[in-house]
């Protein structure tokens, strides 16, 4: 599950976690063997975004490129 929550130094932050419960209103997209679940409010804030996984010695993990972001914080973990 991918979600946007209030918090962080710029106003919002991303959350990603495994979730076995899917609501009827959730948006579910499948990419090969990967299923991404997003609640409707978060979906509006990440519309048009790309989710990627980078593997390497520096900065390994998920990367979100969100065209709706107007500003990010110095740590790169929150946005507005």
């Amino acid at each position: 599950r991918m979600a946007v929550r209030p918090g962080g130094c710029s106003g919002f932050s991303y959350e990603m976690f495994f979730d076995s419960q899917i609501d009827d209103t959730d948006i579910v997209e499948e990419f090969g063997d990967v299923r991404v679940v997003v609640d409707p409010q978060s979906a509006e804030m990440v519309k048009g975004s790309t989710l990627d996984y980078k593997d390497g010695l520096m900065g390994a993990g998920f990367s979100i490129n969100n065209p709706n972001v107007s500003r990010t914080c110095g740590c790169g973990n929150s946005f507005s």
Side-chain angles (χ1 to χ4, degrees):
R1 179 177 292 275
M2 180 178 163
V4 175
R5 303 284 186 239
C9 47
S10 288
F12 295 98
S13 62
Y14 299 110
E15 282 188 3
M16 293 186 72
F17 53 94
F18 292 104
D19 192 357
S20 60
Q21 296 196 17
I22 299 174
D23 293 335
D24 291 338
T25 60
D26 285 338
I27 298 162
V28 180
E29 295 286 338
E30 293 194 27
F31 304 93
D33 294 334
V34 177
R35 184 186 318 182
V36 179
V37 179
V38 183
D39 66 86
Q41 292 94 354
S42 295
E44 282 299 313
M45 298 184 84
V46 297
K47 187 177 276 185
S49 297
T50 57
L51 175 63
D52 192 16
Y53 184 82
K54 297 183 180 190
D55 193 12
L57 296 175
M58 300 291 287
F62 285 100
S63 170
I64 299 169
N65 182 7
N66 188 342
N68 306 306
V69 170
S70 61
R71 154 177 92 99
T72 61
C73 67
C75 68
N77 291 326
S78 66
F79 67 95
S80 62

